[in-house]
Amino acid sequence: MPKNANGHRRGKAHLPQKTCVICARPFNWRRKWKDCWDAVQYCSERCRRQRKQAAKPAIQGRAS
């Protein structure tokens, strides 16, 4: 973790936070999201999959 001007490391309390669009839970920035943080919408793979499953019945219902 990088040090600030005083030579101290920043704690995890200072990380940016977003709210998941599926479960509405807050989640913090992760290092693996450093290049795409603006595009991140879901807190987990499970929430990302639920979005896809919720869209399928709506599409199938319209076709009938």
Side-chain angles (χ1 to χ4, degrees):
M1 201 176 274
K3 295 182 179 180
N4 63 13
N6 296 331
H8 294 99
R9 293 176 186 241
R10 292 178 22 178
K12 291 188 178 188
H14 300 290
L15 295 175
Q17 193 175 55
K18 286 188 177 184
T19 303
C20 179
V21 296
I22 297 296
C23 66
R25 291 181 183 161
F27 63 96
N28 292 328
W29 179 89
R30 295 182 188 171
R31 181 180 236 160
K32 68 180 180 179
W33 292 332
K34 68 180 179 181
D35 296 327
C36 61
W37 177 244
D38 294 332
V40 174
Q41 297 179 357
Y42 310 105
C43 64
S44 64
E45 196 64 30
R46 180 180 180 188
C47 283
R48 189 182 66 79
R49 280 192 222 114
Q50 284 181 350
R51 173 194 58 94
K52 290 182 179 180
Q53 289 174 354
K56 283 184 182 180
I59 292 170
Q60 290 174 354
R62 290 183 196 167
S64 298

